[in-house]
Amino acid sequence: MDFSTRLRDHGLRVTRQRLAVLGVVDSHPHSSADAVAEKVRRDLPELSLQSVYNVLNDLTAFDLLRRFSPPHSPALYETRVGDNHHHAVCTRCGRVEDVDCAVGHAPCLTPSDSHGMTIQIADVLYQGICKDCAERSPGPAG
Amino acid sequence: MDFSTRLRDHGLRVTRQRLAVLGVVDSHPHSSADAVAEKVRRDLPELSLQSVYNVLNDLTAFDLLRRFSPPHSPALYETRVGDNHHHAVCTRCGRVEDVDCAVGHAPCLTPSDSHGMTIQIADVLYQGICKDCAERSPGPAG
DNA sequence: CCGCTTATTTTGAGTAAGTCAAGATAAGCA
DNA sequence: TGCTTATCTTGACTTACTCAAAATAAGCGG
């Protein structure tokens, strides 16, 4: 299903800016707002950063995009939604990889004591050193 | 073991600012830098926000504090370190609760495919609605 | 207890990542 | 094709943090 159809299915107008943002995030998963703006501007030079923030936020609200906030990083966006997958982040270079969820839907884990909260999501953030960084500077993880 | 001893054990000077910050974070876990500054200033009116950031960052680097970055929130700090516990966050009010780690040390989960990364930590973020928010505005989770 | 060294704090400036809102533009419908 | 209104651009702003020089204070040795 293409992006135009998905937008219309949610009662959203199909704009060049939205299609461009979705296309860039689809081909470059885990992109920041700045990175998306830079790439979209190759085709739409007049696109504003404000508009990128608007589009990313609006489409995340409608589950057309997923937002992921690793520590020490701007928010990152991806089009892979609905499968509750997790992420692995390299603590040296910031590289992000998708990790399939063993269960496939949220919440995939339940806390030992939820303190009365109704849990809806369990996000797992794996942190470590990627292969490239381990090769470049073999510290204790090498 | 008190904070002075822990600071000395790490070769760090024992300053009034550090002791005050540690004390506040200990009695108010999951506090932001702003919240810490506000409380410490009741005893040390001349404490600067810059100093709070310095102390929080330095003590986190030495594992005297733990930093936790929920989405849509400034970084939060706590003195509970070393047990790899997780967190549950209310998506409406931002309330944070500790959740014990079933394993007790990192990493407590391993990814199905680590993409060549050497995984060191697995942080689980549980998100949901706390009891108070559910009672106040019973949406779909009510 | 005092002086010296140097880690740390304060001060002032700045950056990065985002939000707010008014006016302009363009998507879509009749 | 014209009208409505969602969305974009523009300009301003806020929040959460960092940077670095000068001042201060912690701690050690004599």
Side-chain angles (χ1 to χ4, degrees):
Chain A
M1 190 189 284
D2 70 358
F3 294 131
S4 299
T5 308
R6 290 201 227 179
L7 286 164
R8 288 192 183 97
D9 284 350
H10 288 88
L12 296 166
R13 292 187 185 188
V14 178
T15 68
R16 301 197 302 148
Q17 292 87 346
R18 283 178 174 163
L19 293 177
V21 166
L22 281 163
V24 160
V25 176
D26 199 45
S27 53
H28 300 88
H30 315 124
S31 286
S32 64
D34 258 0
V36 170
E38 197 176 307
K39 291 187 173 74
V40 168
R41 282 182 179 134
R42 294 175 191 161
D43 285 330
L44 294 177
E46 73 285 2
L47 177 86
S48 65
L49 187 56
Q50 178 58 55
S51 186
V52 176
Y53 278 104
N54 288 347
V55 171
L56 292 174
N57 286 333
D58 290 346
L59 302 191
T60 299
F62 281 92
D63 281 317
L64 291 173
L65 287 178
R66 180 173 171 186
R67 172 197 173 113
F68 164 54
S69 307
H72 309 299
S73 169
L76 306 177
Y77 295 84
E78 61 191 330
T79 53
R80 189 176 160 187
V81 299
D83 63 356
N84 197 42
H85 69 281
H86 306 301
H87 296 98
V89 176
C90 178
T91 53
R92 283 193 199 158
C93 68
R95 174 187 186 151
V96 179
E97 301 283 358
D98 283 339
V99 175
D100 287 344
C101 173
V103 176
H105 62 79
C108 52
L109 295 161
T110 52
S112 47
D113 177 1
S114 66
H115 300 277
M117 280 196 200
T118 304
I119 299 298
Q120 294 160 335
I121 308 172
D123 282 322
V124 182
L125 176 64
Y126 296 97
Q127 299 185 64
I129 308 297
C130 72
K131 200 183 289 180
D132 291 346
C133 288
E135 283 168 5
R136 211 169 12 248
S137 171
Chain B
M1 192 189 284
D2 68 359
F3 293 132
S4 299
T5 308
R6 289 200 228 178
L7 287 164
R8 287 193 185 97
D9 283 350
H10 287 89
L12 296 166
R13 291 189 185 185
V14 179
T15 68
R16 301 193 308 148
Q17 292 88 347
R18 283 180 174 159
L19 294 178
V21 166
L22 281 163
V24 160
V25 177
D26 200 45
S27 52
H28 301 89
H30 315 124
S31 287
S32 65
D34 258 2
V36 170
E38 196 175 307
K39 291 184 173 77
V40 168
R41 281 181 181 137
R42 294 175 192 160
D43 284 331
L44 295 176
E46 74 285 2
L47 177 87
S48 65
L49 187 54
Q50 177 59 56
S51 186
V52 175
Y53 278 106
N54 288 346
V55 170
L56 293 174
N57 285 334
D58 290 345
L59 301 190
T60 299
F62 281 92
D63 280 317
L64 290 173
L65 287 178
R66 181 174 171 185
R67 173 199 173 113
F68 165 54
S69 308
H72 307 301
S73 169
L76 306 177
Y77 295 84
E78 59 192 329
T79 52
R80 188 175 159 186
V81 300
D83 62 357
N84 198 43
H85 70 281
H86 305 300
H87 296 98
V89 175
C90 178
T91 53
R92 284 194 199 157
C93 68
R95 175 187 185 146
V96 179
E97 300 283 359
D98 283 338
V99 173
D100 288 343
C101 173
V103 178
H105 62 79
C108 53
L109 295 162
T110 53
S112 48
D113 178 358
S114 67
H115 299 278
M117 279 195 201
T118 304
I119 299 298
Q120 292 161 336
I121 308 172
D123 281 324
V124 182
L125 175 65
Y126 296 96
Q127 300 185 64
I129 307 297
C130 71
K131 198 184 290 180
D132 291 346
C133 289
E135 283 167 6
R136 208 166 14 245
S137 172

